[in-house]
Amino acid sequence: MGQLQERYKSYREPQKFMELGVYPYFRAITGKQGTEVEMEGHKVLMFGSNAYTGLTGDERIIKKAKEALDRYGSGCAGSRFLNGTLDIHVQLEEELAKFVHKDASLCFSTGFSVNQGVIPAVLGKDDFVICDDRDHASIVDGRRLAFAKQLHYKHNDMADLERLLQNLPYEAIKLIVVDGVFSMEGDLAKLPEIVELKHKYNCSIMVDEAHGLGVFGKQGRGVCDHFGLADEVDLIMGTFSKSLASIGGFIAGDFDTINWLRHTSRTYIFSASNTPAATAAAMEALHIIQQEPERIEKLWNVTRYALRRFREEGFEIGETESPIIPLYVRDVEKTFLVTALAFNAGVFINPVIPPACAPQDTLVRFALMATHTEEQVERGVQALKKIFVEQGIIK
């Protein structure tokens, strides 16, 4: 047995939950993502998706993806830097920049690789990166790859952020990187206060809009637009895998910073470019959410209904202000059990356990799409209430 095999032969944490019959991961879906899906021969309400706009099965998007497949083929066989740039990549970058009120943007193959590639590229060894301690794992990994000095502040604690900034050189580059919407808890970054600190301490700001695009702001432009602060945010990041019904990601900013990233970001210049189908799908989704503001209004109507019903039924849902609704369990094993019982009852939800949260903050994540109905939400609420009461989580 080799060294690696020897090291990992005792890793049996997943098997423990498999033996208990509550292992929740890697369930295979046998059709399109929608509000109801077929999984392992079992029809379930889908409340575990990030497809906030409900566009993943939209025939208009599928048609555009097929057309791109026919015209450009299945892949680009290279990076954007060399042979992998298509005219639709350029068009999408131009449209995204305009959408989020920036000069220019770059498209990456995944959202994760945006944060992983941008943060180390814009910061040097004499710079500082400051993160919220509940930032997404991609921000954490991007921070780790940077040579900059790394700091983090307590979640949404502006006094703690200011305490850090007070001790940093005024002239040094200081980049505050924060999620616009926190993906597990559903609350928003305190962007107005962060912008005030930016001016007070001479900082720059990067906002991850992965869960904000298609949800907040005019025509779904995100949290920065929602607060009217897009001009105050130096870099805006977004993904295609949620509201834009595809896969990939982008960074948007001023011409000079984007020019620098275009020639230095390693995950951009050393990764194969996004597939033609994925690019065309994201672009069509971007068009649809601008043309159909009623889609976002439907999302907010069903979100308000769900928030009200969970509160009425006594669930602990924290400070969420979004279609992401955390239902706190506060016990790892019970979190897995609740997820399994919900699946058996026809409701698919996601368990959130360490390292995605602190051990005392485990939860199940209930997420909404514009295509959900109040009747579907009510079925989900009633099924989960029965389980939470039986498990002694709520009264």
Side-chain angles (χ1 to χ4, degrees), residues 159-172:
D160 196 38
L161 174 57
E162 182 162 20
R163 178 187 61 80
L164 294 176
L165 296 176
Q166 284 173 339
N167 297 315
L168 302 182
Y170 185 81
E171 296 302 326

Side-chain angles (χ1 to χ4, degrees), residues 129-320:
V129 57
I130 307 104
C131 299
D132 188 291
D133 66 9
R134 292 190 191 171
D135 277 347
H136 188 265
S138 58
I139 296 175
V140 174
D141 280 9
R143 183 191 76 202
R144 287 172 175 169
L145 288 170
F147 291 116
K149 298 172 183 66
Q150 302 175 24
L151 302 166
H152 59 90
Y153 57 94
K154 297 174 186 175
H155 177 54
N156 262 344
D157 187 331
M158 296 298 98
D160 196 38
L161 174 57
E162 182 162 20
R163 178 187 61 80
L164 294 176
L165 296 176
Q166 284 173 339
N167 297 315
L168 302 182
Y170 185 81
E171 296 302 326
I173 290 178
K174 300 173 289 295
L175 180 65
I176 302 168
V177 188
V178 66
D179 284 300
V181 181
F182 291 93
S183 59
M184 296 297 106
E185 297 84 5
D187 53 340
L188 307 188
K190 294 183 177 179
L191 197 55
E193 292 93 330
I194 293 173
V195 167
E196 287 181 15
L197 293 174
K198 164 188 172 171
H199 290 295
K200 187 174 181 179
Y201 294 101
N202 191 31
C203 302
S204 301
I205 302 172
M206 175 176 166
V207 174
D208 181 327
E209 288 276 24
H211 298 269
L213 290 176
V215 179
F216 289 90
K218 183 181 179 182
Q219 297 178 312
R221 284 178 164 83
V223 171
C224 298
D225 183 84
H226 167 73
F227 285 118
L229 294 170
D231 290 343
E232 295 282 3
V233 175
D234 301 272
L235 292 168
I236 295 176
M237 174 271 180
T239 58
F240 305 157
S241 57
K242 298 171 177 64
S243 289
L244 297 186
S246 184
I247 188 168
F250 72 94
I251 191 72
D254 65 278
F255 282 120
D256 291 333
T257 305
I258 296 302
N259 179 54
W260 168 261
L261 289 168
R262 190 187 304 276
H263 296 90
T264 60
S265 176
R266 293 169 70 84
T267 58
Y268 178 78
I269 64 177
F270 293 109
S271 290
S273 57
N274 216 347
T275 66
T279 304
M283 186 147 52
E284 181 64 10
L286 183 65
H287 296 164
I288 290 170
I289 65 173
Q290 292 176 86
Q291 295 161 4
E292 298 180 357
E294 66 275 11
R295 181 173 293 272
I296 297 173
E297 186 56 37
K298 286 179 182 178
L299 171 63
W300 278 105
N301 286 340
V302 76
T303 295
R304 285 188 284 266
Y305 177 82
L307 289 168
R308 176 173 62 81
R309 290 294 296 118
F310 278 120
R311 288 190 176 109
E312 287 173 347
E313 297 296 350
F315 287 84
E316 183 188 356
I317 64 172
E319 303 298 322
T320 181

Side-chain angles (χ1 to χ4, degrees), residues 52-71:
Y52 305 114
T53 52
L55 287 170
T56 49
D58 190 283
E59 291 300 326
R60 294 166 292 181
I61 293 173
I62 294 169
K63 180 174 181 287
K64 289 294 183 181
K66 286 179 178 177
E67 290 174 357
L69 193 63
D70 288 338
R71 179 175 179 179

